[in-house]
Amino acid sequence: MRRRDLLCAAAGTLALPAVARRSTAQPAYEPLGRIPLDGVTEVVVGDDGRTAFLAATTGFGVVDLSDPKNPRVLADRRGLLADRENGPLTDIRDAKLDGDRLIVVGPANPGAGLNAMVLYDVSDPASPKRVAVHETDYAIHNAFLTDGRAYLSQFDGETVGMTIVDIANDDPERVGRWSILDEPNWGGIPLFPATVHDIWVQDGIAYIAHWDAGTWLVDVRDPSNPTAITRIGGLAPDELASLSGEALRRAQLVPPGNSHYVTVDEDAAVMGVGVESWAVEGEGGPGGITLWDIESPQNPEELATIDAPPTPAPSYGGLWTTAHNFDLADGRLYSSWYRGGVKIHDVSDPANPEEIATWRRTEDTSFWATVLAVPGEFFVGCSWNQYGELPQADLYTFPDRAGPVPESTTEATTDRNAATANGSTPATTGSADGAETASNETTNGESAGAGPGFGVPAAIGGVGLAAWRYLRQNDESKKR
């Protein structure tokens, strides 16, 4: 199989050839529906794809997708664990589902108060019932839930790793832990560029996005004794250990490394690794998604890289179009790219991914996650408010089909209520009921977190100035 180099180049530097695109005529590609939900970030769906569960910064929500053109809020819970010391739980950026059990975790970044995994019975999606709380002494940026075990990212400023918690009988109990710091030669690395950012677990293997330490595959069949299988990409331990000052800050923004999100297909034959990165003084740029053949986990083979959408401002303070969370399912890749919108790629031949649909509205959407809901019918995508840059956060539904793919998707529709393909506007109607405390907060979803990748220091600054200038110039040009 042929290989492609990872593209994380800033504008003006050498880039790989774009992936293949279909040229056959297709109907206009637009969202099916939309529903606002304050602070929404991550989304997962139930087994039948008709119910979505969403992390929402100050709580979580449940949305009925039985009619994807008219999604409806079933539950909106806020103020989780408000009655506990240092509560409520805040900076909630992840939720995971396994059957009728949902975990909601936080805070995503250290220093936000109470740290916990909250377990819910969601057999009645409209009335989630809290059944257990597992408090920790570390922040939980992301998690995974499968086969009665929760896998929690661990970061407390003193250590990094993954904790395994058995949730059998709704009685959470820690049963194992893995840390890169316990691996030979890795004990002396700085922590911030080597955080566990995201975790995917399937068939006894944990796939761990470890930022500048690369992507790790860990055998977790025996949760009491997790064993590293291999590492893909990233910096070597001696390179990480040598970083300090400006070099350390820079390393967290530009590749190599920046392993942000990882998932595998149904057979665990193909793995996707998303790189979240930016440009610093002309070096680096928005990261893409690299596909790997992992049929032999000990000998992974790079297949192809899907480049990030273009941006006129590739720095951290600019207009983000770097890869974020995505889904590999049914021979397709459903991807989110912040202000770069959402895309579908046909990856039935993963060495030659083909972009078959894209939708981007730069001015007022920033997509955090995409997940296939019902194959052949629709997928869902969460647009967050990007630390208050955007007026609201929404869950969108999109048709699971090919659409016209323009040569450039830098420009985008500006009318938030633009008509969909069938002539209607995306649905925004929703009703909320049931609450841990009712959804009566006025927060806009902001948090004091250190950024999308919590290895990225908060001191880097805001996201808005360059983006604001670009969008204003774009808007003014359209008025002329």
Side-chain angles (χ1 to χ4, degrees), residues 89 174 179 192 238 290 332 340 414:
L89 188 64
R174 173 174 156 167
S179 174
F192 269 102
D238 58 339
T290 298
R332 289 183 172 182
T414 57

Side-chain angles (χ1 to χ4, degrees), residues 198-211:
D198 222 302
I199 302 167
W200 184 274
V201 182
Q202 188 168 313
D203 299 329
I205 296 178
Y207 303 84
I208 302 173
H210 226 306
W211 209 256

Side-chain angles (χ1 to χ4, degrees), residues 46 63 77 139 205 207 227 230 284 294-295 308 420 423-424 436 471 479:
V63 174
R77 298 293 180 86
I205 296 178
Y207 303 84
T227 305
T230 191
I294 57 166
E295 286 190 278
T420 60
S424 64
E436 185 132 349
L471 295 173
K479 293 178 180 178

Side-chain angles (χ1 to χ4, degrees), residues 8 41 57 68 79 111 124 145-146 192 196 296 318 321 327 351 360 451 455 476:
C8 287
T41 52
T57 309
D124 178 0
L145 182 63
T146 185
F192 269 102
V196 172
S296 175
T321 62
D327 194 15
R360 175 174 181 173
E476 290 298 322

